[in-house]
Amino acid sequence: MSAQLNLSREDFVSDQEVRWCPGCGDYAILATVQRVVPKLNIPRENFVFISGIGCSSRFPYYMNTYGFHTIHGRAMTISTGLAVSRPDLSIWVITGDGDALSIGGNHFIHCMRRNVNLNVLMFNNRIYGLTKGQYSPTSEVGKKTKSTPYGSVEQPVNAISLAMASEATFIARSFDVHTNHLGGVIQRAAEHKGMSFVEVYQNCNIFNDGAFKDITERSVRDDRVLELEHGKPMLFGAEKKKGICFENGVPRVVKIGENGVTEKDIAVHDETGENPAIAYMLSRLDYPEFPVPMGIFRNVLRPTYGEIVNEQVESVKAQKGKGDLRKLLRGTDTWEVK
Amino acid sequence: MSGTAHKSSEEKSSKQVKPAELSGGDSKATLEELDTVTIRFAGDSGDGMQLTGTQFTNTSAIIGNDIATFPDFPAEIRAPAGSLPGVSGFQINFSSHDVRTPGDVPNVLVAMNPAALKVHLHDLEKNGILILNTDAFTEVNLKKASYKSNPLKDGTLSSYRLFEVPITALNGEALKDLPLSKKEMDRCKNFFALGLMYWMYSRTMDPTLKWIESKFGKKPDIAEANRRALKAGYNFGETTEMFSHHFNVPQAKLTPGTYRQVTGNQALALGLVAGAQFARKSLIYCSYPITPASDILHDLSALKNFDVKTIQAEDEIAAIGAAIGASFGGQLGVTGTSGPGLALKSEALGLAVMAELPLVVVNVQRAGPSTGMPTKTEQADLLQAMFGRNGECPLAILAPATPSECFFYAIESLRIATKYMCPVILLTDGFLANGAEPWAIPDIETFKKFEIKHLVDANNFQPYQRDDKTLARPWVMPGTKGLEHRIGGLEKQDITGNVSYDPENHEKMTKLRASKIERITQEIGDTVISGKSSGKVLVVGWGNTYGAITTAVERLQKEGKSVSSIHLRHLNPFPKDLEKIFSSFEKILVPEINMGQLRMLLRSKYLVDAIGYNKVQGQPMKISEVKKAIEELL
């Protein structure tokens, strides 16, 4: 590690006035990111924040780093090109549930499977905010919005499950109102080499206020959130007496001390498991049947896209020698005209 | 040129050479010298006609003919065998003098089955040479080709010099003791036909024998089968008494130099590599497979030792997104596609215009709209390139006129994109992309290196501060200390680049983006006029019609007609001398393979009464067609 850069939160605050609605969950996420990035000991000029379109996508304007506010759904494509051309940078994608999962759904899948070295923070508020309140791909069935006055008829997509199916190497979830947890997850995401996907439950207090309050309110949180910790039993509840166990591969909520259940019966979280099946199963747990898992679902290592692309260039150079343009233009068959 | 040069021996005075002097063989046929020949090979799409044509082309180029080719194949990879839609053709025009088109009318048609005959016979010149694989003229195949009676017997072919050759049987006989299946043997029959044509036009077999060795060296039986098929075809020509004549087309008097054969797509890929080296940058080519642009991706993906990185993206939008990201990172982002793909890239092109980043978008045009005719050529994306985006969204458009020019304009598009910090659309098309010609390999030392500067000085830095001469904004690489800034698709405040909704600022920025593109006229030299600088008719062309237009105009000039031509390579902005040139001619004719797109632009910009000659058949323009269109105006 290089010498300490001694950067602080203030170094990452831009001169632009923040223009989200007062009370928006985005403020807390911005503050958390600005608190975490100085700890990474990466020079400020090596940070690039790239976004698509939507409320969340204004984010880069507020970070005093390099930034690119691009077009709807395409932030991951632009980031892929940047990561290939500049593997030295710390590239962050700021996106939303509509931007990443609807218009950008195709890029989401392919960016994940390529393991592009990016930190993708997807703010999920289960609504289209910037276009003033239409249902999004994560809105629940029956959701009444401006474009679904009789309720949404569509099955929502689970971002964590999709990321898992798309072979992302780091997959996590956190939420706006628990900034300590969020900060910890974001820091781990930044430290992970490869695709880091973080879904952040974020409250839109204008168009979908309280979308997550049943889970995230301080008064109920202990019982309804399962904080995943690597190597530790999956316990929750104020007394940590409730837990998840797997019976014949099926998850179940159990209480320690009831029906002979002891802590040994509780499943231990392994974020590095080679087989993603258990992590996938965790991604399906949802309130009210289960507590909602927060934290790191999966954290495995695979060579990154930028690395492999650049290594291939180097290995072909080593094999064939540096390209000779003159020879290349000649091709294989030439003839002389005198 | 073609269509007139290859008359039967009775009507053509030609130099007679004794066969022994050239071939040294046993042939009883008289050797006749010709200056230009157009051959069309046609067969099933699984018959290997493209390979046959390519081999004939390579050999003809290597022995010093000038050449131009036109591969014309269906989009179906293997349409039902023997069917009309499955017919694949390859036309080559080879000559002892300068040729610029693949020839209007074939002098020779080699048809491997009835369907190929049916599709192509009407193009063959009267009294032209027709070589048929009679083994394929079975009742089943005749039916598949919708022949009601056998054309070999019903007089349909009486006005051609017909040679009936049982190619499948002769080929099978030559290969019979090889440990191959009948199917594998039959697959070599195209090389029998190739060998026969090599004999008929006095070509050496060596380049093809060399190719067989390199291609099938690891499969000795297949290699041997192809060698035998080729030689059997050649020897059949030499020993049969079927042919009274065979021919020689001497070397062309090309400008001295080292030559190779090149297609438009190959030249374009080479140009991108060369341009990146002149810019001392990595080339990052991002593309989604699409006909007829995919070969550029194939070529570039093999050139990693030239610091070329290729990304085969998940879709067209991802491809341009990645290219923009690469350019934002300070390298050369390029994306390549064809018309439907360009449509998908529109929004991202707007982002590149707004963000003022360098970007090259190659559009190998094909016949549209929608999926259209993917393997057929057209020039109908000019207006899409010009206007196909939301908002006032100007960018630069370049269009090479020949396959080898694709090399130079690929370099030029990278130079302009980086100098003016703007997207450049490079318009080629299926005909240029797949057509081949000899190319005098340029000396790379004669090319200027690009002067690319990345701003590193943080003093008074403003992201949208402009260069006085080019109006380009600075290209700052992320990672440069002290120059951290944000860009994006929202309207920018002049100079600072901050988001702005100010009404007057938006108008100012709209005009600035337009002026910047207009400044590119500084890069364009004087327009070259073929012919006199004033007169009755001026023919204005762009892109692949160059050969047909220039040749037609030269022929009319020889006839003493008052006609000149110009061929535009810069379509946005136009060269600055066009208005003056137009004013010196009475009439302006614009031949295009579209419904009049350049004509529309010229009429609106210069208020000239330009007349169109338009053909939209997915086929290149013929010399005779352009000539006739000009004659109607004289």
Side-chain angles (χ1 to χ4, degrees), chain A residues 142-155:
Chain A
K143 178 87 186 168
K144 287 189 178 169
T145 69
K146 277 189 187 156
S147 57
T148 51
Y150 302 106
S152 165
V153 298
E154 296 178 16
Q155 172 70 26

Side-chain angles (χ1 to χ4, degrees), chain B residues 393-414:
Chain B
C393 198
L395 43 69
I397 305 171
L398 302 181
T402 65
S404 60
E405 271 189 17
C406 293
F407 176 78
F408 301 99
Y409 283 91
I411 297 171
E412 186 65 0
S413 59
L414 286 172

Side-chain angles (χ1 to χ4, degrees), chain B residues 47 141 206 237 266 328 518:
Chain B
D47 276 346
N141 282 345
D206 291 347
Q266 286 170 342
F328 177 64
E518 206 49 45

Side-chain angles (χ1 to χ4, degrees), chain B residues 111-114 133-142 165 168 189:
Chain B
M112 300 299 281
N113 68 8
N133 176 17
T134 49
D135 290 329
F137 281 69
T138 61
E139 220 163 284
V140 176
N141 282 345
L142 289 167
V165 186
T168 311
K189 67 180 182 296

